[in-house]
Amino acid sequence: MAKSGETALENAGETRPNHVLMDIRLSGTIDGIEAAGQIHARYGIPVIFLTACADTPFTQGVLQPCRQRGASRYHPYTGFVPVRMAQ
C-alpha cells in the first residue's frame, strides 16, 4: 500500500504485482492517475482506478486523463450491494 504516487511507483517496480488498485488522489507530486500511467507504461501492469469522490464534475474531469493512460471503462459506485455468502 502506498500513500504517494512516488511510493506506488517504487512498490510496483519492486513487487511486480499482477494488477494494481489505484486511488486517483494520492499525496506527493505524482497523483494516482499519473502513477498509474507510469506503472502501466514501465511494467505493463493493469491498473484499476478507485476513488471515494462521487462529485460529478471532479469525476468527469479525471475521466479524460484516465482514458489517455489506457482506462477502458468507468463504473460509478452507487451504493452498497448486498452480497449473499455461500454456505
Side-chain angles (χ1 to χ4, degrees):
M1 185 180 310
K3 292 183 179 184
S4 71
E6 294 84 358
T7 304
L9 284 168
E10 184 180 310
N11 290 350
E14 291 174 0
T15 62
R16 302 291 174 104
N18 292 326
H19 61 277
V20 172
L21 299 176
M22 179 72 71
D23 191 338
I24 58 177
R25 286 188 163 176
L26 294 176
S27 64
T29 58
I30 301 174
D31 66 12
I33 298 169
E34 180 61 31
Q38 289 188 34
I39 289 168
H40 186 72
R42 290 181 190 181
Y43 310 114
I45 300 171
V47 178
I48 299 169
F49 290 103
L50 303 171
T51 187
C53 299
D55 178 32
T56 301
F58 173 79
T59 305
Q60 293 301 319
V62 299
L63 285 179
Q64 187 61 31
C66 289
R67 287 188 180 119
Q68 290 172 345
R69 287 167 178 78
S72 60
R73 292 183 183 86
Y74 168 69
H75 181 73
Y77 176 74
T78 57
F80 290 103
V81 177
V83 176
R84 203 169 155 171
M85 301 299 287
Q87 296 183 11

